[in-house]
Amino acid sequence: MRMYIFGILIILFQWGCTHHRGQNSEPGSQDRKWWKEAIIYQIYPRSFNDSNGDGVGDLKGIIEKLDYIQSLGVTAVWLNPIYSSPNDDNGYDVSNYREIMKDFGTMEDFDRLLAGLHQRGIKLVMDVVVNHSSDEHVWFKQSRISRKNRYRDYYHWWPAEKGRPNYRYSLFDEKGDAWQYDSLTDSYYLHYFSRKQPDLNWENPKVRREVHNIMKFWAKKGVDGFRLDAFQFAAKDTTFPAFPEGFEKNFINYYAMQGNLHDYLKEMHEKVFSKYDVMSVAEGAGRNFEDAHKLVDPERKELNMAYAFEAVDLVKYNGYQLSDLKEVFSRWDSAFAKKGWLSIFLANHDQARLVSRYGNDSPEFRAASAKMLNTFLLSMRGTPYCYYGDELGMTNIGFDSIQQYRDIAAINGYKKARADGEDMKLYMKKLRFLSRDNGRTPMQWKTNKQAGFTTGEPWLPVNANYKLINVENQDRDSNSCLNHFRKMTALRKSNPVLVYGDYQIAQPEHKQVYAYFRKLESDQILVLLNFSAKTARISLPYRIDPEDILINNYSSVETEGTMKILKPYQAVIVNVN
Ligand code: NOJ
């Protein structure tokens, strides 16, 4: 089966390389959309800016930084969940979808934030977390009271007299078991994530109606888009058949895109997306290209975009291969060259820091490699999602002891690994490099205490390198990562070829350089990215005249005839018309 899919992918890829004028490459056509042209800046509110000294970032804190956000040149902000929550999973466990989490402020703060963004021409995308709710949501509190409660069917319950339900894997449970026994009604409930995140029953039309109404509530307020958290898991076969032993190693194949999921999305499109000018993006793109295409094929009227994990999943604790990265991005691009639209990202709140994972966070190369990676994200076809702090080249914090972690995935993962008798030294090594907490440390604003994030004690420590890596320093340095990021957003916005142009990889076998062309009508640009810490040579039959260089993270590019000589982590974009 894998070979079969791979064969199709190769054909698609070759086809994509030889047929350049895809539907997506017509910027003048009706296919132009704001969300295709958007540059999305993701803010993890807990870690961005704390306005009241309680150590937790908040909405007023974001409002204080609106001018900064605008200065980045981004055109939309995606906020991680800001709804009421007991914070078992930092807001991904919602107890009231129409209220703002107390730590983050009030609904007035939200309204001011939205207005402030809109005044600056920046759109707002909200996270919608409806594969599950919090166990402290009134629906679940009611649901667990009795088997006859009217909210009982809002969740998945399994009466204990039927015996233990078939095993389901939980991503965050300390035992890895997604069924939790509840003595109140002598039944088990399902939770793909933590015990405090019971899965909603999407097969129940009442649940779907509730969610549509919640989305309408926010759409009416004027939000511009929704990111659907873990939505690919929402539909389930409620007979809960047995899965083969070891399925959890490949659980996506069993959890994603089940049952009536596409119908639920079509219904959501009809009830919500078609009625408001909102964009929609799903976390997860299913099990294969067919799933991904179905999600985002405009004719099917489901979603605008999905984001796939294949590229972020390439990185293991001992690194990744550039050849794999190129292959994944090229394959996904060619599969969507004609229809549908991609999201481009390498980091978010579920990943460690961009520069630590894909670049080189040593003092010598951190800045160059961070600039190179941002050049990559902002020069690919697809909507780029840029994570707060990556514009500065913020790095992993690298905790050594489990007591330092705050993330439920790390804490419960540790308990499970220990119970399973795993090599805990290796486990901690992996966690140090890959943990989500790496990507959640407070934004580094200034050189003063706590990096200017808070006047109190931050909920997660500030990275010790904040005196060097911060907005204040980088703002006044024209060669900083921050200013490189700003140049890249400006370049993307003024060059439709970077948004809509076809993508074509050059010399895919090159060991150090990721080189590709973007082409749109008569515009053609070449992107050269040295992904290594060594000088790289690549021969391409194009002249690089200084006046044709659109961006460069060094002051010049060396050439010898057709040979381009790139310094460590050098990134150059050049017009090659
Ligand atoms: C995906 C989110 O991105 C992640 O942060 C969260 O823990 C899970 N979904 C559960 O909601």
Side-chain angles (χ1 to χ4, degrees):
M1 183 65 182
R2 274 186 91 94
M3 281 312 290
Y4 170 75
I5 293 171
F6 193 60
I8 301 229
L9 300 180
I10 297 273
I11 293 165
L12 276 169
F13 177 55
Q14 289 166 344
W15 188 83
C17 284
T18 47
H19 292 72
H20 297 314
R21 294 271 76 88
Q23 184 191 357
N24 285 331
S25 60
E26 305 293 343
S29 78
Q30 57 195 8
D31 202 36
R32 277 189 77 157
K33 294 278 185 289
W34 70 262
W35 43 266
K36 292 185 180 176
E37 294 170 25
I39 300 173
I40 300 187
Y41 184 61
Q42 184 193 345
I43 294 181
Y44 198 65
R46 179 165 288 273
S47 303
F48 196 62
N49 187 33
D50 172 20
S51 72
N52 61 1
D54 65 358
V56 174
D58 46 45
L59 300 187
K60 279 198 179 122
I62 302 175
I63 294 171
E64 286 172 7
K65 300 295 182 185
L66 281 172
D67 289 340
Y68 170 76
I69 297 166
Q70 184 180 29
S71 82
L72 296 175
V74 299
T75 63
V77 162
W78 155 27
L79 279 187
N80 291 99
I82 54 168
Y83 318 103
S84 292
S85 165
N87 283 312
D88 194 48
D89 183 20
N90 288 356
Y92 281 96
D93 46 323
V94 180
S95 53
N96 187 326
Y97 292 92
R98 290 183 178 82
E99 254 177 33
I100 302 295
M101 187 194 300
K102 292 212 169 46
D103 287 345
F104 290 170
T106 63
M107 195 57 90
E108 280 99 75
D109 297 336
F110 174 82
D111 293 339
R112 277 183 50 225
L113 171 61
L114 182 61
L117 285 166
H118 284 171
Q119 270 157 24
R120 289 166 180 80
I122 300 171
K123 299 196 186 272
L124 179 64
V125 177
M126 299 282 279
D127 220 312
V128 180
V129 191
V130 288
N131 168 70
H132 46 271
S133 73
S134 162
D135 67 340
E136 297 184 33
H137 194 292
V138 66
W139 299 336
F140 190 76
K141 286 189 188 164
Q142 287 286 321
S143 182
R144 80 194 307 179
I145 290 175
S146 91
R147 292 187 179 188
K148 296 224 160 59
N149 189 280
R150 59 186 279 252
Y151 289 98
R152 187 67 171 179
D153 289 347
Y154 272 44
Y155 297 87
H156 297 287
W157 290 99
W158 185 272
E161 63 272 16
K162 281 170 71 181
R164 278 193 76 92
N166 285 315
Y167 168 57
R168 287 294 180 271
Y169 161 71
S170 161
L171 283 87
F172 295 166
D173 188 76
E174 58 183 81
K175 296 209 168 88
D177 183 354
W179 289 109
Q180 174 65 24
Y181 178 71
D182 197 32
S183 59
L184 218 53
T185 55
D186 190 29
S187 305
Y188 298 85
Y189 68 84
L190 185 72
H191 62 92
Y192 278 180
F193 295 92
S194 88
R195 290 176 195 173
K196 287 184 68 62
Q197 294 169 296
D199 282 42
L200 283 158
N201 176 10
W202 272 77
E203 279 55 58
N204 181 349
K206 286 194 207 137
V207 167
R208 306 205 294 275
R209 212 167 311 128
E210 298 265 19
V211 171
H212 301 152
N213 289 337
I214 290 164
M215 293 173 89
K216 283 187 208 164
F217 170 84
W218 292 99
K220 278 184 199 145
K221 276 189 165 287
V223 311
D224 306 285
F226 296 108
R227 176 249 187 206
L228 297 178
D229 181 73
F231 199 75
Q232 57 176 353
F233 301 155
K236 279 134 189 142
D237 176 347
T238 53
T239 65
F240 296 105
F243 289 158
E245 195 155 327
F247 84 89
E248 63 276 13
K249 291 190 194 84
N250 216 346
F251 70 94
I252 297 284
N253 284 345
Y254 296 85
Y255 282 11
M257 318 303 296
Q258 298 300 299
N260 301 320
L261 193 93
H262 288 292
D263 295 333
Y264 302 154
L265 285 171
K266 287 199 166 79
E267 186 184 44
M268 193 182 277
H269 188 282
E270 186 200 321
K271 306 275 185 217
V272 187
F273 303 144
S274 69
K275 305 256 190 305
Y276 304 87
D277 183 18
V278 287
M279 69 83 126
S280 53
V281 52
E283 183 200 25
R287 302 153 297 184
N288 48 40
F289 281 157
E290 196 190 329
D291 284 346
H293 276 127
K294 281 188 172 166
L295 287 173
V296 301
D297 176 348
E299 278 151 38
R300 290 173 56 89
K301 298 195 170 32
E302 294 186 23
L303 298 168
N304 298 137
M305 280 182 264
Y307 59 84
F309 296 115
E310 210 177 329
V312 290
D313 287 348
L314 285 176
V315 185
K316 307 290 175 228
Y317 75 101
N318 48 3
Y320 71 101
Q321 296 297 321
L322 176 61
S323 52
D324 293 338
L325 190 83
K326 291 184 193 183
E327 191 275 331
V328 168
F329 274 99
S330 303
R331 183 155 42 80
W332 277 86
D333 182 86
S334 62
F336 285 80
K338 287 270 159 185
K339 217 184 217 181
W341 192 253
L342 286 174
S343 313
I344 301 291
F345 77 106
L346 283 176
N348 63 30
H349 65 291
D350 291 332
Q351 312 292 335
R353 278 285 165 192
L354 176 72
V355 71
S356 302
R357 267 161 69 92
Y358 293 93
N360 183 329
D361 63 8
S362 70
E364 195 180 355
F365 297 123
R366 183 194 59 83
S369 64
K371 290 175 199 170
M372 185 276 291
L373 290 164
N374 282 319
T375 309
F376 170 67
L377 292 171
L378 291 161
S379 65
M380 287 294 282
R381 174 159 60 184
T383 301
Y385 288 69
C386 305
Y387 189 53
Y388 87 93
D390 285 343
E391 72 272 28
L392 308 176
M394 274 174 60
T395 64
N396 277 359
I397 191 159
F399 290 144
D400 290 315
S401 118
I402 192 66
Q403 277 72 35
Q404 293 171 293
Y405 289 90
R406 293 287 166 272
D407 177 18
I408 184 163
I411 295 166
N412 283 355
Y414 178 88
K415 288 184 192 155
K416 179 163 188 306
R418 207 172 43 185
D420 291 350
E422 276 190 40
D423 172 349
M424 293 314 284
K425 234 174 127 189
L426 180 63
Y427 186 86
M428 289 305 291
K429 191 172 167 186
K430 289 183 185 169
L431 207 54
R432 188 174 207 280
F433 184 58
L434 297 171
S435 158
R436 310 197 292 183
D437 278 337
N438 279 310
R440 297 176 177 183
T441 60
M443 177 69 171
Q444 295 167 205
W445 295 104
K446 293 183 184 152
T447 43
N448 58 349
K449 220 172 154 225
Q450 307 299 6
F453 163 71
T454 181
T455 52
E457 210 32 58
W459 73 276
L460 194 64
V462 171
N463 194 311
N465 60 21
Y466 73 91
K467 291 215 159 122
L468 181 73
I469 305 169
N470 62 60
V471 172
E472 192 174 53
N473 284 351
Q474 295 200 16
D475 214 11
R476 38 176 192 245
D477 170 4
S478 61
N479 283 324
S480 65
C481 296
L482 174 59
N483 282 316
H484 182 85
F485 183 87
R486 288 172 171 150
K487 284 176 211 156
M488 266 314 297
T489 56
L491 191 69
R492 187 174 180 92
K493 288 192 292 186
S494 56
N495 285 281
V497 60
L498 285 173
V499 177
Y500 293 105
D502 292 311
Y503 157 96
Q504 196 182 346
I505 191 165
Q507 299 192 17
E509 68 294 338
H510 200 289
K511 295 261 180 307
Q512 294 162 277
V513 179
Y514 192 167
Y516 48 92
F517 294 94
R518 302 292 314 275
K519 293 181 196 174
L520 184 70
E521 288 148 15
S522 58
D523 284 344
Q524 168 159 250
I525 61 162
L526 171 63
V527 181
L528 294 172
L529 306 170
N530 181 359
F531 266 74
S532 80
K534 300 225 167 75
T535 299
R537 299 165 73 85
I538 182 165
S539 173
L540 288 162
Y542 295 90
R543 279 174 66 90
I544 300 189
D545 290 325
E547 64 273 18
D548 290 331
I549 295 178
L550 299 172
I551 201 149
N552 186 357
N553 62 348
Y554 283 80
S555 53
S556 60
V557 196
E558 237 184 284
T559 57
E560 270 170 22
T562 60
M563 192 65 78
K564 320 290 175 271
I565 302 158
L566 300 175
K567 299 204 173 62
Y569 299 105
Q570 185 158 16
V572 186
I573 300 186
V574 57
N575 249 322
V576 287
N577 281 324

